[in-house]
Amino acid sequence: MSFSGEVKEELVKLENDARHCQLAELAVILVYAGAVRTDSSGAVCIELQSDAPYVASRCRMLLVKLFQAALPEMSNENSLYLTKNDTSVIKRTLQAIKYKGGDVLVHPLVIKSLCCKRAFLRGAFLSIGSISNPEKGYHLEFVCSDAKQAAQLVETLLFYEIRAKIVVRKKYHVVYIKESEEIVELLNVIGAHISLMNLENLRILKDMRNAVNRRVNCETANITKTVNAASKQIDDIQYIREHYGFDNLAENLRQMAELRLEYPEATLKELGEFLSPAVGKSGVNHRLRKLSELAEKLRGK
């Protein structure tokens, strides 16, 4: 199962005891991902066009809780057909959420309180949301059929200081979030706490891997730099030996030249410790620089 599927499976199992929150979540499912129709006989049909099993089961659960009555199972086509007795109850519920056929927005009064805004965002994610595999990258989005829907989502997310952006993709308006911290906050807001912890664990592992890779790359770069510098020093010293002679060098430079040739892989600190008396890194570096300057002068001549 995808990570997005795991989040939705967790959300479907959440209990929502407050009636006004149930209405808010049902409202967003019906407006963003469904339609309510009445046939010629007066029977009501609720049709859903999104993420079948998750939205269908959540919608039915909310209807059962609101009506406190047994309802038929959702069909394979994600449609719920109700009897005329159920129809009257549903009509009152639709009045409560101020729903009219063809609405593209959830009525502001339905999501007035913060708890109802949470339920709204939960229903929106179940209906039109998705999240990428966090092992590959961080990306959460809501695919809205209307620009007004996208604006309503962005405005609601801002109540929780979650900043989302909108991009037009074909005929859809996509609200997306790419910052991992804000995705974590949204999972917390909608109640997907298990998925949140799984995401945080993956973030920690990724951060650790990145930190290790950065350190390895840095150490590799330093080793490469040291090897290249030592190779250049040896080339210069060998040139001096062939074209100038060690006997013509000052005693301190001659000792350094001989040590570098004898210990080509030694660090500056180790070279300094081989001398008697010992010399610090800066002193060793100074002598090697003097030898390099001499080699450059000899090459120039």
Side-chain angles (χ1 to χ4, degrees):
M1 181 183 293
S2 67
F3 185 72
S4 189
E6 291 175 3
V7 176
K8 292 186 178 185
E9 188 175 51
E10 180 182 359
L11 294 178
V12 166
K13 297 175 182 177
L14 289 180
E15 293 292 333
N16 198 347
D17 295 328
R19 181 178 176 81
H20 49 84
C21 293
Q22 293 171 11
L23 289 170
E25 190 172 339
L26 181 60
V28 69
I29 291 174
L30 293 178
V31 172
Y32 280 25
V36 180
R37 296 185 176 87
T38 305
D39 64 17
S40 57
S41 67
V44 174
C45 171
I46 297 177
E47 295 180 350
L48 302 168
Q49 300 95 25
S50 173
D51 246 352
Y54 305 109
V55 181
S57 59
R58 188 67 176 179
C59 181
R60 184 180 181 282
M61 183 274 287
L62 291 170
L63 289 169
V64 169
K65 279 184 171 289
L66 287 166
F67 301 154
Q68 296 182 345
L71 293 177
E73 294 291 339
M74 301 296 286
S75 70
N76 292 333
E77 291 78 22
N78 296 330
S79 296
L80 177 63
Y81 287 93
L82 307 168
T83 66
K84 291 182 179 180
N85 292 333
D86 294 325
T87 297
S88 62
V89 181
I90 288 181
K91 285 181 178 178
R92 291 198 300 270
T93 302
L94 296 181
Q95 290 175 355
I97 65 175
K98 305 183 185 303
Y99 175 85
K100 296 178 181 179
D103 282 353
V104 296
L105 292 179
V106 175
H107 199 285
L109 291 178
V110 178
I111 54 173
K112 186 176 180 180
S113 64
L114 279 177
C115 61
C116 291
K117 286 180 171 61
R118 290 177 183 270
F120 166 84
L121 291 173
R122 184 185 306 118
F125 184 80
L126 280 169
S127 302
I128 58 173
S130 64
I131 183 172
S132 63
N133 183 347
E135 291 184 357
K136 298 179 179 179
Y138 303 114
H139 184 87
L140 185 148
E141 67 180 31
F142 301 87
V143 181
C144 303
S145 60
D146 186 273
K148 293 179 180 178
Q149 284 184 2
Q152 186 177 45
L153 266 171
V154 170
E155 181 181 355
T156 307
L157 288 166
L158 279 174
F159 276 93
Y160 302 96
E161 297 184 357
I162 300 172
R163 292 163 180 79
K165 296 181 180 180
I166 302 174
V167 64
V168 177
R169 187 187 299 160
K170 296 182 179 179
K171 64 177 181 178
Y172 299 103
H173 292 74
V174 180
V175 176
Y176 68 93
I177 306 169
K178 297 188 76 69
E179 295 296 327
S180 60
E181 292 82 3
E182 298 196 328
I183 292 175
V184 166
E185 180 58 26
L186 177 57
L187 293 178
N188 181 52
V189 167
I190 63 179
H193 299 123
I194 296 175
S195 299
L196 184 156
M197 292 303 299
N198 291 337
L199 176 57
E200 286 286 49
N201 289 336
L202 288 171
R203 284 180 66 198
I204 292 170
L205 287 174
K206 286 181 70 174
D207 289 345
M208 288 178 62
R209 288 195 204 105
N210 291 337
V212 169
N213 288 337
R214 284 193 297 270
R215 183 166 182 175
V216 168
N217 291 338
C218 181
E219 290 179 354
T220 300
N222 288 337
I223 291 171
T224 301
K225 183 178 179 181
T226 301
V227 169
N228 291 338
S231 178
K232 174 67 167 56
Q233 293 161 4
I234 291 170
D235 288 343
D236 290 339
I237 291 170
Q238 288 175 339
Y239 191 87
I240 291 172
R241 183 173 60 185
E242 294 172 7
H243 297 85
Y244 188 72
F246 284 176
D247 291 341
N248 294 319
L249 292 174
E251 180 62 19
N252 62 340
L253 295 182
R254 182 185 63 77
Q255 288 180 340
M256 183 54 59
E258 291 175 345
L259 277 174
R260 174 46 89 191
L261 291 179
E262 186 176 356
Y263 303 103
E265 297 180 357
T267 64
L268 297 183
K269 181 180 179 181
E270 290 170 342
L271 288 174
E273 292 173 351
F274 290 143
L275 293 169
S276 182
V279 176
K281 288 172 60 177
S282 60
V284 172
N285 189 52
H286 175 75
R287 297 182 187 187
L288 289 171
R289 189 168 62 249
K290 286 289 186 181
L291 290 168
S292 294
E293 290 172 357
L294 175 58
E296 289 302 318
K297 288 181 181 180
L298 294 173
R299 291 188 180 99
K301 289 182 181 180

